[in-house]
Amino acid sequence: MPDVVETDYLVIGSGIAGLNFALDAAEHGRVLVVTKKAPSDTATNWAQGGVAAVLSGDDSFEQHVQDTLTVGDGLCDRNIVELVVREGPAQVQRLLELGVALARTGEGGLDLTREGGHSQRRVVHYSDVTGSEIQRAMLAAVARHPNITMVDEHIGVDLLSMAKYGGAPACFGAYILDKRGGHVRTVLARATVLASGGAGKVYVYTSNPDVATGDGIAMAYRIGATVSDLEFVQFHPTVLYHPHAGSFLISEALRGEGGKLRLADGRRFMDAYHPLAELGPRDVVARAIDNEIKKSGADSVYLDMTHLDADFVRGRFPTIYQRCLALGIDITRQPIPVVPAAHYMCGGIKTDEWGQTTIKNLYAIGETASTGLHGACRLASNSLLEGMVFSSRVAQHVRHAELVRPAQVQPWYSGDATDSNDAIVVTLNWEEVRRFMWSYVGIVRSDKRIERARRRIEILREEIREYYWDFKITSDLLELRNLALVANLIIESARRRKESRGLHYTLDYPNKLEVARHSELQLTNGPQA
Ligand SMILES: Cc1cc2nc3c(=O)[nH]c(=O)nc-3n(C[C@H](O)[C@H](O)[C@H](O)COP(=O)(O)OP(=O)(O)OC[C@H]3O[C@@H](n4cnc5c(N)ncnc54)[C@H](O)[C@@H]3O)c2cc1C
């Protein structure tokens, strides 16, 4: 790729949102998809459950809307919820047209499963590997399209903004670091679309892949975009705790089938937290595990399946069984060590019903966006659907984006920066941010904990800033800089919310305020970029 590239549409990210946008927008323009690792290194590829849509005669749009609103705890935008829910069936049809192999019933209809929070069976899936099947089909379609160029191992550094050239804020592309060559290219685009996924890596325990470092949120915030509701981080109750496991989700279905949570000494504890014990709501179970771990100082709790029939366990959970066995845990004979983990970012870059951010010609789709669908808590399997609905809408809207660009664009300038011989600074700061975010701004928060995190993030960000300007940029350094900014934004959003609502739970304000308000931050009222 040349050092300066021009395209109609620049997309940062190759998950469901980025690829679906590319496929639609390529019908009327040239699309460049930039992705920081391999094209399939995405959260999309890891999604297990499926895509929610109203497809059965027993179900209705209103029921799906109501379920979403109930879980969202007063902060969903009803118009957006309706818009997304009504689009569901058409988006499932689109998946089928793309060649996604969705599971069928014996009679040939689509097999619908039921997940927590859904009043009906409405989740289409492909075994327990739905996301990788979607990713496969979309990547194949993208590879066939003459108007789409996919560039891997390139990481977005910063967005190009007219504000730097004395104009009104508008985005006209991005600086992109070629990770292999180590130099920065300039991509000029009529519309720039952030499809860069979530930010689970802000926390030491996460179900997310390594790419989830919140880059899109950080890049957008740095050029003045509004971000919203970042305190609403969804924690999954059970991720495998093992030094070599990476991030591996232990599905809620194990508890659904009779799995029991136990402490290291074998005692059960969920009865003390909820009448439904292990089958209580996801956030209650996550909080209970977090509390037990904090109380005992243990590394994990255990999910016990050993009382169930071994053949049943192996047959019902083949992937989990095999993965644990490979790590030396036979789940039919030994309890599984588990911890809760950051799973999904409900907030993000604020967008309207066409995926527009508050910056002209800058769009955000998928997990990086805050559309108003999820409110204070996400209903399971609504996120893949949201990614599809909004990427299609943005593909329609960008057609009319007006070209804005300065007469002369400045190339990336690295000044006196030298190669770093102190990479340990990056590793240590990375570890530290993720640990204190987990302890202080995790599942159970308090004013004191948040304040501790705030003091630490300020010192760390100062250190990272110095390092950033002194040394040549690397992918690790860019991710650390973004991660620390996103951590700062989560801390600030959590600090300002003086109530417990949805996923934000604080010991100091255990109740909900009467009026539900979004938290919004931008450069003028939030932390320094
Ligand atoms: C284990 C797991 C299970 C899940 N199960 C479900 C489920 O069953 N149903 C459901 O609806 N949701 C599920 N989710 C959530 C859902 O998978 C994600 O919300 C969704 O896939 C996000 O899609 P996306 O396109 O926004 O981002 P992603 O799929 O995460 O893609 C982000 C892309 O952006 C790229 N990127 C990021 N930063 C940069 C940068 N600076 N420069 C270049 N590229 C960059 C990444 O490399 C990647 O290609 C699950 C999530 C996880 C982790």
Side-chain angles (χ1 to χ4, degrees), residues 11-20 33-52 115 123-125 128 130-131 134-135 150-151 153-158 175-177 179 194-199 206-216 219 234 236 239 247-250 282 342-345 365-369 374 378-388 478-479 482:
V11 191
I12 298 184
S14 58
I16 191 168
L19 297 182
N20 196 48
V33 183
V34 168
T35 190
K36 66 179 170 179
K37 286 180 93 182
S40 59
D41 275 319
T42 63
T44 300
N45 207 23
W46 290 19
Q48 296 180 349
V51 184
E115 290 190 346
V123 179
V124 294
H125 66 103
D128 58 355
T130 313
I134 295 175
Q135 183 87 39
M150 166 80 69
V151 182
E153 298 294 334
H154 278 65
I155 176 168
V157 178
D158 269 322
Y175 290 126
I176 308 282
L177 172 72
K179 288 168 65 179
L194 293 169
S196 43
T206 177
S207 65
N208 289 190
D210 287 347
V211 292
T213 51
D215 298 1
M219 284 192 276
Q234 189 159 47
H236 195 284
V239 166
S247 308
F248 187 66
L249 200 71
I250 303 293
R282 197 186 253 199
H343 186 52
Y344 185 82
M345 183 56 89
I365 48 179
E367 194 168 335
T368 197
H374 307 302
R378 173 193 68 136
L379 178 66
S381 288
N382 263 357
S383 34
L384 292 173
L385 175 63
E386 181 194 41
M388 290 203 62
L478 292 175
E479 289 186 336
N482 292 333

Side-chain angles (χ1 to χ4, degrees), residues 102-112:
L102 295 173
R104 301 276 175 175
T105 61
E107 293 80 46
L110 288 172
D111 184 43
L112 303 176

Side-chain angles (χ1 to χ4, degrees), residues 56-368:
S56 105
D58 299 335
D59 200 359
S60 67
F61 289 142
E62 188 49 30
Q63 288 179 73
H64 190 181
V65 168
Q66 276 308 330
D67 292 345
T68 306
L69 296 176
T70 303
V71 172
D73 208 4
L75 269 180
C76 300
D77 177 335
R78 190 179 172 115
N79 291 335
I80 295 290
V81 176
E82 285 182 1
L83 181 158
V84 172
V85 163
R86 285 179 182 279
E87 275 284 307
Q91 294 297 348
V92 171
Q93 185 55 34
R94 178 177 166 85
L95 288 176
L96 293 170
E97 283 160 15
L98 280 168
V100 175
L102 295 173
R104 301 276 175 175
T105 61
E107 293 80 46
L110 288 172
D111 184 43
L112 303 176
T113 59
R114 187 164 168 178
E115 290 190 346
H118 289 274
S119 56
Q120 293 289 344
R121 300 181 80 86
R122 64 166 75 100
V123 179
V124 294
H125 66 103
Y126 177 67
S127 181
D128 58 355
V129 285
T130 313
S132 68
E133 173 57 10
I134 295 175
Q135 183 87 39
R136 177 203 63 72
M138 286 195 169
L139 279 177
V142 159
R144 286 193 299 268
H145 207 298
N147 265 358
I148 307 177
T149 307
M150 166 80 69
V151 182
D152 66 358
E153 298 294 334
H154 278 65
I155 176 168
V157 178
D158 269 322
L159 297 168
L160 299 171
S161 166
M162 286 302 289
K164 278 235 159 133
Y165 297 79
C171 180
F172 58 93
Y175 290 126
I176 308 282
L177 172 72
D178 173 350
K179 288 168 65 179
R180 295 189 185 98
H183 63 282
V184 178
R185 305 180 200 282
T186 308
V187 179
L188 305 173
R190 195 146 61 84
T192 304
V193 182
L194 293 169
S196 43
K201 296 295 278 188
V202 166
Y203 292 93
V204 68
Y205 300 120
T206 177
S207 65
N208 289 190
D210 287 347
V211 292
T213 51
D215 298 1
I217 296 170
M219 284 192 276
Y221 181 81
R222 279 198 290 270
I223 66 158
T226 302
V227 296
S228 71
D229 295 343
L230 284 169
E231 65 276 38
F232 298 116
V233 180
Q234 189 159 47
F235 292 88
H236 195 284
T238 52
V239 166
L240 180 61
Y241 178 77
H242 188 281
H244 306 301
S247 308
F248 187 66
L249 200 71
I250 303 293
S251 152
E252 271 164 289
L254 274 79
R255 277 178 286 124
E257 297 293 356
K260 302 290 177 223
L261 284 163
R262 296 185 191 279
L263 300 173
D265 60 11
R267 267 182 305 136
R268 284 181 64 199
F269 56 89
M270 274 312 302
D271 288 332
Y273 291 90
H274 198 275
L276 292 174
E278 279 82 358
L279 298 179
R282 197 186 253 199
D283 51 334
V284 174
V285 180
R287 274 205 290 275
I289 298 176
D290 182 67
N291 192 40
E292 291 298 331
I293 289 176
K294 284 207 172 93
K295 253 183 5 194
S296 64
D299 290 330
S300 70
V301 296
Y302 295 85
L303 182 61
D304 186 7
M305 304 291 286
T306 58
H307 54 289
L308 300 172
D309 179 68
D311 286 338
F312 167 75
V313 171
R314 277 190 288 264
R316 174 74 177 81
F317 303 109
T319 317
I320 293 171
Y321 173 75
Q322 285 302 339
R323 180 71 182 265
C324 290
L325 196 62
L327 293 164
I329 306 163
D330 178 350
I331 67 171
T332 65
R333 297 152 64 101
Q334 295 158 272
I336 313 166
V338 289
V339 286
H343 186 52
Y344 185 82
M345 183 56 89
C346 291
I349 307 159
K350 188 181 170 191
T351 61
D352 67 7
E353 73 271 29
W354 291 103
Q356 294 186 94
T357 70
T358 53
I359 303 287
K360 189 181 168 81
N361 292 346
L362 178 66
Y363 297 78
I365 48 179
E367 194 168 335
T368 197

